[in-house]
């Protein structure tokens, strides 16, 4: 019996094959789309997934301004942050983030779904968000994927 067939193959920087993909956010539900984007960034859809290596794809999200939230979550959901000073607790809604820029809301949601360590900080840099249908990443020749076909 060949014992080499039972070895677990782990990916590293040299063996990882990263791709550029485009995701269209028009008409998508925010949380459902962002979970799939976080899995793409992490590399969980690849057969050589390794938990401690950046083996995910680079993701470009277009039409971020046309993302949807169900119910009345645009104004009822509240995010809280603290400045560190007395009386420095700030509250804001998804609508407030969308008014500042469509990319801020999606970046916040996806970042919350990634690991809270150095790997998560590296992974969030592989995400590019654009409010409209145009992006400036044509040089990378990204391929368009349908996010609804992923689990």
């Amino acid at each position: 019996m060949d014992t080499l067939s039972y070895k677990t193959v782990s990916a590293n920087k040299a063996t990882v094959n990263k791709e550029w993909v485009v995701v269209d956010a028009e008409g998508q539900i925010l949380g459902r789309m962002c979970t799939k984007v976080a899995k793409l960034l992490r590399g969980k859809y690849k057969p050589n997934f390794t938990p401690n290596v950046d083996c995910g794809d680079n993701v470009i999200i277009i039409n971020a301004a046309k993302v949807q939230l169900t119910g009345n979550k645009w104004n009822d959901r509240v995010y809280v942050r603290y400045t560190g000073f007395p009386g420095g607790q700030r509250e804001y809604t998804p609508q407030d983030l969308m008014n500042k820029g469509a990319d801020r809301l999606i970046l916040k949601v996806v970042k919350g779904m990634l690991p809270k360590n150095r790997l998560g900080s590296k992974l969030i840099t592989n995400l590019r968000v654009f409010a409209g249908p145009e992006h400036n990443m044509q040089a990378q020749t990204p391929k368009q994927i349908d996010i609804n076909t992923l689990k």
Side-chain angles (χ1 to χ4, degrees):
M1 184 174 273
D2 186 14
T3 58
L4 290 177
S5 64
Y6 294 109
K7 300 253 182 193
T8 301
V9 178
S10 294
N12 58 25
K13 277 187 181 180
T15 61
V16 168
N17 54 343
K18 296 174 74 70
E19 298 175 341
W20 284 82
V21 295
V22 176
V23 174
D24 190 3
E26 184 173 3
Q28 298 288 327
I29 305 299
L30 178 69
R32 293 173 191 269
M33 180 195 69
C34 288
T35 54
K36 294 173 184 176
V37 168
K39 285 175 85 172
L40 277 171
L41 287 170
R42 190 87 198 274
K44 290 229 173 178
Y45 291 115
K46 295 188 175 185
N48 62 346
F49 169 69
T50 307
N52 61 337
V53 177
D54 176 12
C55 53
D57 295 331
N58 294 298
V59 180
I60 302 165
I61 297 179
I62 57 173
N63 290 323
K66 298 179 182 175
V67 75
Q68 296 178 351
L69 283 173
T70 57
N72 198 20
K73 293 178 190 159
W74 283 112
N75 297 313
D76 286 352
R77 174 168 289 162
V78 176
Y79 298 122
V80 179
R81 70 178 181 88
Y82 180 60
T83 64
F85 290 96
Q89 184 169 320
R90 306 286 187 251
E91 295 182 349
Y92 51 97
T93 63
Q95 186 64 49
D96 296 335
L97 282 177
M98 193 61 100
N99 292 340
K100 288 184 179 180
D103 59 333
R104 292 186 183 213
L105 179 62
I106 292 180
L107 281 171
K108 176 176 178 42
V109 174
V110 172
K111 186 175 181 180
M113 297 178 185
L114 293 175
K116 278 64 172 180
N117 53 22
R118 284 180 287 189
L119 179 62
S121 301
K122 172 73 175 83
L123 291 175
I124 198 68
T125 62
N126 295 334
L127 176 65
R128 310 290 197 290
V129 183
F130 297 96
E134 300 298 321
H135 63 86
N136 59 3
M137 299 287 165
Q138 284 83 12
Q140 281 74 27
T141 61
K143 65 176 186 176
Q144 182 88 23
I145 62 166
D146 184 18
I147 198 81
N148 296 324
T149 60
L150 301 175
K151 284 191 169 187

